[in-house]
Amino acid sequence: MPLLSDMARQRASIYGWFAQILFQELTAEALSHLHDTDTQARLKALKSIPELWLDVRQFQLRLRTALKRKDRQLELAADFASLFLLPPPAGVSPYAGHYPHTTPHEARKTMQQWLVRYELAPQNNEAPDHIAIQLALMDTLVAKSSNTATELEQQCQFLKQHLLSWLPHFSQRCGQRDSFGFYATAVRMLVCFIKQDVQWIEDYLQTIKSSP
């Protein structure tokens, strides 16, 4: 179980990291953390997954370019605002309830139930179906898990029903509207990671069921 626990810590860290990137405009301090040793180690781990190699590489290139901009914090904040704070079609909605698989009322009601169950509360009174809130919840689901089959099945169900149900559409729209590409590549990397995470959980559960 130690190896499984190590993987759980790493998985939780990755979901929390993506949540921080997509929650609000990055501060100067948050931006500086994007090139610290922890972030480099995290990206190295993601890059070790063959299916993620290209997406991580593209994100690293966009990150390197972003850090070289003259007013990097202000320019990246402007990118965030024009992409996620403007209503569609000019911007891209970061709320699950704005996509065809559900409605704002249903998405927020369901997410609120999850948050209450785990004694979490959206920051800054943000709507609970915001992508960053969902990712932060996933961070908690993994971090508090004892890695039982039931808990892993719950994580897999959450990823499929509440993230993969709309994030591919979200990613496509980010790619169309993010001219600089930092957030578009981050979201593309996130979607690929979630797909691989779901595959890993399903493969692991199948191995358990097949064991004598």
Side-chain angles (χ1 to χ4, degrees), residues 15-165:
Y15 281 112
W17 180 71
F18 276 116
Q20 291 171 4
I21 290 177
L22 296 172
F23 180 60
Q24 59 189 4
E25 297 98 325
L26 293 171
T27 62
E29 181 182 4
L31 191 54
S32 69
H33 287 318
L34 285 179
H35 59 96
D36 63 14
T37 54
D38 286 344
T39 295
Q40 295 310 311
R42 192 174 290 115
L43 290 173
K44 184 178 180 180
L46 287 170
K47 207 172 183 179
S48 69
I49 303 172
E51 292 82 359
L52 267 78
W53 190 92
L54 181 58
D55 288 331
V56 176
R57 176 61 178 162
Q58 290 176 339
F59 176 76
Q60 288 175 315
L61 292 173
R62 285 294 89 202
L63 174 59
R64 196 171 301 133
T65 303
L67 294 173
K68 290 179 180 178
R69 293 162 111 179
K70 183 178 179 181
D71 297 312
R72 60 187 191 181
Q73 192 274 328
L74 292 176
E75 293 193 54
L76 208 55
D79 291 342
F80 182 96
S82 63
L83 193 61
F84 301 129
L85 301 184
L86 292 178
V92 179
S93 174
Y95 300 98
H98 291 168
Y99 291 81
H101 72 291
T102 185
T103 64
H105 173 74
E106 187 59 35
R108 290 167 189 178
K109 177 183 176 183
T110 302
M111 277 301 302
Q112 189 61 41
Q113 291 171 345
W114 278 93
L115 295 177
V116 169
R117 188 185 313 173
Y118 287 90
E119 299 181 343
L120 298 173
Q123 297 183 29
N124 300 340
N125 295 317
E126 183 58 82
D129 62 327
H130 189 283
I131 181 174
I133 303 298
Q134 293 187 320
L135 293 172
L137 174 58
M138 189 63 200
D139 176 358
T140 298
L141 288 177
V142 178
K144 291 188 174 182
S145 171
S146 299
N147 299 312
T148 65
T150 299
E151 289 170 322
L152 288 169
E153 286 172 352
Q154 181 188 56
Q155 293 172 29
C156 192
Q157 180 187 38
F158 183 85
L159 290 171
K160 287 181 175 180
Q161 293 183 358
H162 299 290
L163 287 167
L164 288 182
S165 55

Side-chain angles (χ1 to χ4, degrees), residues 189-208:
M189 181 171 59
L190 167 63
V191 173
C192 189
F193 170 71
I194 292 176
K195 289 179 179 178
Q196 293 306 309
D197 200 30
V198 166
Q199 187 64 57
W200 175 81
I201 294 173
E202 291 179 337
D203 289 346
Y204 179 76
L205 292 174
Q206 186 60 44
T207 300
I208 293 177

